[in-house]
């Protein structure tokens, strides 16, 4: 394996002789390696997931354009240490930001942001505040990015009818035991099917503006420095036109779950109100001025939507035989669904407080 990784690394024009490569991080979609060389720089080599992303050249064009936009903004505002605040991609000798190997796999190489870290489970409210601030800053930096320059890398990514259709197809093909184990969850989730169409309706009717969003704002897609100060948003595969509700909602879903989305004990799942308040304060300090009254007014609905959608997606994958998310044990996707469902119950129970807290920023 190392020999193969070395050969792939050598396709890219960058500085340093290959020394070693190790699997890195806890992302679900791409295969990520940390590459060390005989110089100070380190690199992230990724095999991109071609089952999920159908047009890698276009996806890389999106990512490079967004990073260039952020870089230009940083240069204009005189921020120091800028190469730690966006992703630098390297090109091959053919001038491409990816390498396609003989098996048809696509690889990319980027500069590893040294001294960075990310959290799968948030340890305290201060860090929740920093993550909110980092996401708010990102939203700020991409707010004036021209959406027509982006292709939709995953069409209908957060579209409720699409996800319900996928669920229906998975139910039709599911093994009877898997279906039986899913019954209660399916019943609970179905109560949200209608109300969760509301944001999409407001999007379709132009009541909520379409903006450029990240769409995968799980807490571990934000890098922090050694002092837990935000550095940069990563995993830009899904930057597409969307609603701010998707980014805010997905980040809260991930950052405010006391036990994290991978816990094996759903009884440990709690919606951490202090994390939510701290995150929201950090986020709004950076970005509140760019949102309309209507966006802020309805923002809390994004938290319910993204938690519900995540539960539906995990359950669909379970019923479908685990083809999308990598699993470590047979009931892994069922367990992930239970966790999101428990979180959804917690959000429902606390909804008035959550919504009320956001209203102060309207
Ligand atoms: P996935 O789509 O599989 O989630 P990511 O792009 O999020 O892939 O990368 C997986 C993990 O690798 C991240 O959570 C982060 O820890 C780490 N990572 C990715 N790119 C960088 C980078 N340029 N610098 C530092 N860490 C990175
Ligand atoms: C995937 O790539 P990663 O691990 O950051 C997924 C997200 C889910 C998340 C759940 C392209 O994110 O949508 O919310 O898993 N990304 C894609 O952990 O499907
Ligand atoms: Mg990721």
């Amino acid at each position: 394996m190392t020999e193969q990784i070395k050969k792939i690394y050598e396709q890219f024009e960058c500085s340093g002789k290959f020394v070693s490569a190790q699997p890195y991080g806890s992302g679900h979609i791409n295969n990520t390696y940390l590459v060390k060389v005989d110089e100070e720089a380190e690199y992230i080599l990724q095999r991109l997931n071609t089952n999920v992303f159908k047009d890698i050249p276009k996806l890389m064009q999106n990512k490079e354009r967004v990073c260039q936009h952020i870089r230009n903004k940083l240069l204009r505002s005189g921020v120091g240490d800028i190469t730690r605040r966006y992703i630098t991609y390297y090109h091959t000798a053919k001038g491409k930001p990816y390498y396609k190997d003989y098996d048809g796999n696509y690889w990319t190489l980027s500069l590893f942001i040294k001294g960075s870290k990310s959290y799968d489970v948030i340890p305290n409210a201060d860090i929740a505040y920093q993550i909110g601030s980092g996401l708010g800053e990102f939203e700020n930096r991409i707010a004036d990015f021209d959406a027509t320059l982006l292709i939709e890398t995953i069409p209908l990514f957060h579209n409720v009818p699409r996800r319900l259709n996928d669920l229906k197809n998975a139910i039709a093909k599911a093994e009877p035991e898997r279906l039986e184990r899913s019954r209660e969850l399916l019943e609970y989730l179905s109560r949200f099917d209608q109300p969760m169409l509301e944001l999409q309706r407001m999007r379709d009717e132009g009541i909520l503006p379409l903006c450029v969003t990240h769409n995968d704002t799980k807490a571990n897609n934000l890098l922090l420095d050694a002092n837990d100060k935000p550095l940069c948003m990563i995993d830009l595969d899904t930057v597409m036109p969307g609603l701010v509700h998707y980014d805010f909602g997905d980040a809260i879903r991930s950052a405010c779950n006391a036990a994290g989305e991978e816990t094996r004990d759903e009884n440990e799942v709690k919606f951490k109100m202090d994390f939510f308040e701290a995150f929201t304060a950090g986020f709004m300090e950076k970005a509140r001025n760019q949102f309309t009254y209507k966006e802020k007014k309805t923002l809390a609905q994004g938290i319910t939507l993204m938690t519900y959608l995540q539960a539906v997606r995990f359950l669909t994958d379970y019923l479908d035989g685990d083809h999308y998310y990598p699993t470590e044990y047979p009931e892994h996707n069922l367990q992930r669904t239970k966790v999101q469902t428990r979180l959804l119950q917690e959000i429902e129970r606390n909804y008035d407080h959550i919504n009320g807290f956001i209203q102060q920023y309207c």
Side-chain angles (χ1 to χ4, degrees):
M1 188 63 191
T2 307
E3 201 43 44
Q4 187 205 354
I5 297 279
K6 176 173 179 281
K7 286 217 174 89
I8 290 158
Y9 165 77
E10 285 167 356
Q11 304 300 317
F12 291 90
E13 299 203 308
C14 64
S15 168
K17 277 205 168 54
F18 181 93
V19 171
S20 66
Q22 291 295 326
Y24 190 78
S26 51
H28 285 325
I29 301 299
N30 301 306
N31 287 94
T32 304
Y33 300 88
L34 175 63
V35 173
K36 300 207 174 180
V37 298
D38 64 348
E39 293 180 8
E40 218 185 294
E42 291 174 14
Y43 299 97
I44 287 283
L45 186 68
Q46 282 189 319
R47 179 159 66 87
L48 299 185
N49 188 326
T50 46
N51 290 325
V52 172
F53 302 110
K54 302 299 176 201
D55 187 342
I56 303 288
K58 285 274 166 53
L59 174 138
M60 286 310 296
Q61 183 178 297
N62 274 10
K63 299 215 284 189
E64 286 205 301
R65 283 180 172 171
V66 170
C67 291
Q68 188 63 38
H69 180 83
I70 294 174
R71 182 182 140 83
N72 290 342
K73 275 211 155 159
L74 291 166
L75 283 172
R76 278 200 300 272
S77 56
V79 178
D81 207 9
I82 63 166
T83 55
R84 299 179 81 213
R85 296 180 188 279
Y86 63 89
I87 308 276
T88 305
Y89 293 100
Y90 292 87
H91 288 191
T92 62
K94 288 184 184 161
K96 303 248 187 282
Y98 54 83
Y99 167 67
K100 189 178 181 185
D101 71 18
Y102 292 106
D103 298 321
N105 297 308
Y106 283 88
W107 299 82
T108 63
L109 189 79
S110 61
L111 184 66
F112 176 71
I113 299 184
K114 279 219 166 176
S116 68
K117 58 179 164 181
S118 63
Y119 291 96
D120 293 333
V121 183
I122 305 308
N124 59 56
D126 289 342
I127 293 174
Y129 171 86
Q130 296 299 343
I131 294 178
S133 169
L135 179 62
E137 208 156 45
F138 177 82
E139 302 290 354
N140 218 257
R141 288 182 184 147
I142 57 167
D144 59 346
F145 187 85
D146 179 0
T148 62
L149 295 175
L150 297 174
I151 64 136
E152 261 196 291
T153 53
I154 307 182
L156 303 177
F157 192 41
H158 298 316
N159 179 281
V160 173
R162 177 253 158 120
R163 293 297 175 192
L164 286 177
N165 195 44
D166 290 355
L167 179 62
K168 201 170 109 201
N169 291 338
I171 291 172
K173 289 190 295 182
E175 285 173 10
E177 303 77 51
R178 287 196 178 220
L179 193 54
E180 193 44 46
R181 287 187 206 113
S182 306
R183 284 234 181 270
E184 230 175 278
L185 293 163
L186 281 166
E187 203 184 302
Y188 176 75
L189 290 171
S190 70
R191 284 194 242 156
F192 292 81
D193 295 353
Q194 278 307 314
M196 290 299 102
L197 295 171
E198 181 64 4
L199 284 175
Q200 182 72 41
R201 181 188 65 77
M202 289 193 273
R203 171 179 165 164
D204 294 342
E205 293 177 5
I207 297 167
L208 294 173
L210 210 55
C211 37
V212 175
T213 45
H214 182 287
N215 296 301
D216 186 0
T217 50
K218 192 159 76 165
N220 70 14
N221 284 331
L222 183 93
L223 300 183
L224 301 164
D225 69 13
N227 300 316
D228 288 318
K229 294 283 181 289
L231 283 171
C232 95
M233 279 301 292
I234 56 164
D235 207 350
L236 305 176
D237 300 333
T238 50
V239 174
M240 294 180 276
L243 299 178
V244 59
H245 303 66
Y246 303 154
D247 283 3
F248 181 76
D250 197 36
I252 296 286
R253 168 194 79 72
S254 153
C256 303
N257 174 355
E261 66 183 57
E262 291 295 318
T263 179
R264 289 197 182 210
D265 182 0
E266 65 275 20
N267 295 318
E268 285 182 355
V269 173
K270 292 276 169 315
F271 185 82
K272 295 282 290 174
M273 199 55 79
D274 54 337
F275 289 17
F276 159 74
E277 291 180 359
F279 181 101
T280 304
F283 181 78
M284 289 297 184
E285 272 166 31
K286 296 287 179 189
R288 66 185 294 183
N289 292 337
Q290 77 191 59
F291 304 130
T292 64
Y293 173 76
K294 196 74 187 166
E295 282 179 294
K296 288 182 274 194
K297 206 69 201 154
T298 56
L299 200 53
Q301 293 180 43
I303 305 173
T304 318
L305 174 72
M306 296 309 284
T307 311
Y308 157 82
L309 277 177
Q310 192 62 67
V312 167
R313 291 173 65 196
F314 282 144
L315 192 55
T316 302
D317 200 30
Y318 176 68
L319 291 166
D320 191 42
D322 306 321
H323 297 302
Y324 193 90
Y325 296 102
T327 52
E328 281 158 21
Y329 54 98
E331 307 294 286
H332 199 157
N333 274 318
L334 183 69
Q335 177 58 25
R336 286 170 171 150
T337 313
K338 288 182 185 165
V339 170
Q340 293 303 310
T341 305
R342 184 60 74 91
L343 190 65
L344 189 56
Q345 288 168 342
E346 286 266 301
I347 291 166
E348 277 302 279
R349 210 161 48 75
N350 292 292
Y351 191 79
D352 288 345
H353 182 94
I354 293 171
N355 190 33
F357 187 82
I358 296 173
Q359 297 314 308
Q360 71 183 285
Y361 297 98
C362 284

